[in-house]
Amino acid sequence: MKKANFLTMIKFLNLQKINAQYADELKQAAADVIDSGWYLLGEQMKQFENSLAGFIGVKNAIGAGNGLDALRLILKAYIEMGVMKEGDEVIVPANTYIATILAITDNRLKPVLVEPEIHTYNLDISLIEQHISDRTKAIMPVHLYGQVCWSEELEMIAKKYDLKIIEDNAQALGAYWKQTRTGALGDAAGLSFYPGKNLGALGDAGAVTTNDDELARVVRALGNYGSEKKYINEYQGLNSRMDEIQAAFLSIKLKYLDAENQRRNEIAQYYLENINHPDITLPQINSTLRIKNSKLSHVWHLFVIRHPERDRLHKYLTDKGIQTLIHYPVPPHKQNAYREWNDYSLPITEKIHREVLSLPISPVMTMPEIEIVTKVINEYSSGDCD
């Protein structure tokens, strides 16, 4: 097979092109921060936190150093508040990115891994109740790949067992359940602004959102060395603060997020309507979300297909000049970091991780690029990689 010219490769995500759209605004924002002489916990942070809270529809948004820290801070705050203690359990989808689980174990809490739904890849809510014990204190649904993971059943279970719901909203900022955005559905949510996210910083950044004023107060203090007043430390905290330049950049990019999510949706719909291959499983939107919600319930952070010979398809697309990524090749319970779980049997999770492949999808993709991706996939046969 003739190799692709990598100068013409269709990139999985062209961050340079995405940020070039706003280059003048971003450069002016950086200059303003530099000239201000104030680089942490200043006006840019306040402005972004207020804008983010308003966008999501919550009372409080607190900047953090990254998405992992956002989840760590929520759990640490609940421990400081006496809601949780070491050894308590948090229900979490088994196929999430490992950061979700790291946040739990870092706080000496116990993750309880629950299988996802095979079609939506989100936590199978129907399996939650059978995993609840007297040590269970929270459910951490992940809005994986950009699709809302929520239902009335989830709310009912949390209420019945007096459990906190902590959203991992790293991938679905801007999505809706009915008329409520992700990040405002549960008791608290952790957000990531890693550069490749739908709302991406130009570096690391994250945030916590919540309507709980006391939780917000503790989270903010914990992220600042456990201090609300300089040199007075109420808690054993962390250093996890979003800097002023990232806050300024994110304030600019937040204004365009809904439009960019809509463009992602248009690309996804084209893929769904035009990719037609007998061995490829296309992503599905939860049927209840389609019926109940006219707003976007999936913001397509990733467009994830499945194929039983994923690695061959991955190589074929690379050779054809199409960059794809695998989210994620190894599930958390098979990682060396959690070697004590390596013997767990989670067949749905393991099947997903063996078969998934993420196609290029970004708001700056051109129509010819989208058509090429579709055409090349439809022409694939297993012999192409021999």
Side-chain angles (χ1 to χ4, degrees), residues 289-308:
L289 298 179
R290 286 185 181 276
I291 295 168
K292 295 179 179 179
N293 188 7
S294 60
K295 297 184 178 182
L296 289 182
S297 58
H298 199 324
V299 294
W300 300 102
H301 171 58
L302 299 171
F303 188 94
V304 180
I305 63 173
R306 295 204 332 269
H307 191 283

Side-chain angles (χ1 to χ4, degrees), residues 130-160:
Q130 68 193 59
H131 288 86
I132 293 173
S133 76
D134 57 2
R135 300 301 298 272
T136 307
K137 292 296 185 290
I139 305 167
M140 192 176 282
V142 180
H143 307 304
L144 196 64
Y145 306 149
Q147 179 165 201
V148 176
C149 178
W150 204 262
S151 71
E152 285 93 351
E153 181 185 3
L154 176 62
E155 295 175 346
M156 180 193 70
I157 292 169
K159 184 176 181 180
K160 179 179 177 181

